[in-house]
Amino acid sequence: NSGIPQPDRVVVAQSETAVRQGEAVLKLAESARKPSVALNSTYTRLAYPANDEFPTFDRSNWTVGVSLQVPILTGGRQRGDELVAKSDLESARLRLQQTKELAAVDTQSAWAELLAARAAWEASGGTVQQATRAYDIADVRYRNGVSTQLELTDARLLLQQAEANRAVAA
């Protein structure tokens, strides 16, 4: 990690969610081994017409039921479902690990680029300062007749290149 701050990444959060989902699917597959009990109840009011008049709700029907399911012979489906869930969970965990490692490498790379850009920026400041000084000297020499137009033009070109490099570094 080398002291570089690790920002929260959406892809890491998505991978963590996939792991939690895989764990839930595995629990669901393992719970299918256990017996299950279901209770149901239905209550209904019935209306029958009495002597061609309006129907009256004088009767009711109430049913209650209980069912028990015990998985004994599943034909290997239960074991297969558990194996698939376990392998999917392991795959999700490995993808999470890989995603975390790639995010850390990406962050370190971006950090290194930032440091290099900062160093280039600071170095270009000194270069611009030196090029400005060299141009000023060349200008004074040219005005006093000690230098040629070519030397002044070269100094101006070097100054403009230094300023362009500073802009690129920015």
Side-chain angles (χ1 to χ4, degrees):
N1 195 352
S2 69
I4 297 173
Q6 298 293 322
D8 293 334
R9 295 288 182 100
V10 173
V11 291
V12 173
Q14 287 173 339
S15 294
E16 289 171 345
T17 301
V19 168
R20 286 193 301 274
Q21 182 180 9
E23 290 169 347
V25 169
L26 179 60
K27 281 184 182 179
L28 181 64
E30 289 172 343
S31 70
R33 284 185 180 271
K34 300 175 183 170
S36 63
V37 176
L39 172 66
N40 58 11
S41 173
T42 305
Y43 179 78
T44 309
R45 301 257 332 197
L46 302 174
Y48 293 104
N51 301 329
D52 293 332
E53 295 176 13
F54 291 106
T56 58
F57 292 96
D58 57 351
R59 300 192 187 222
S60 60
N61 187 13
W62 188 10
T63 59
V64 177
V66 176
S67 65
L68 172 67
Q69 291 182 346
V70 180
I72 298 174
L73 299 173
T74 60
R77 178 193 51 82
Q78 175 64 37
R79 179 77 178 132
D81 288 348
E82 287 178 16
L83 288 174
V84 167
K86 284 179 184 177
S87 67
D88 287 348
L89 177 57
E90 184 61 26
S91 176
R93 285 180 176 154
L94 291 173
R95 278 193 303 275
L96 172 61
Q97 182 65 29
Q98 182 183 29
T99 302
K100 283 182 177 181
E101 289 172 3
L102 289 174
V105 168
D106 184 49
T107 301
Q108 288 174 349
S109 173
W111 191 260
E113 287 179 23
L114 174 65
L115 294 178
R118 184 176 290 160
W121 168 259
E122 290 171 1
S124 66
T127 305
V128 168
Q129 187 179 13
Q130 289 175 355
T132 302
R133 181 74 178 134
Y135 176 73
D136 291 343
I137 291 171
D139 186 40
V140 169
R141 286 174 49 99
Y142 177 73
R143 275 192 261 139
N144 289 327
V146 180
S147 175
T148 64
Q149 176 72 33
L150 182 61
E151 182 182 339
L152 181 63
T153 304
D154 283 344
R156 179 177 290 172
L157 178 64
L158 290 174
L159 174 59
Q160 289 174 344
Q161 285 177 340
E163 289 172 341
N165 289 340
R166 178 100 167 143
V168 168

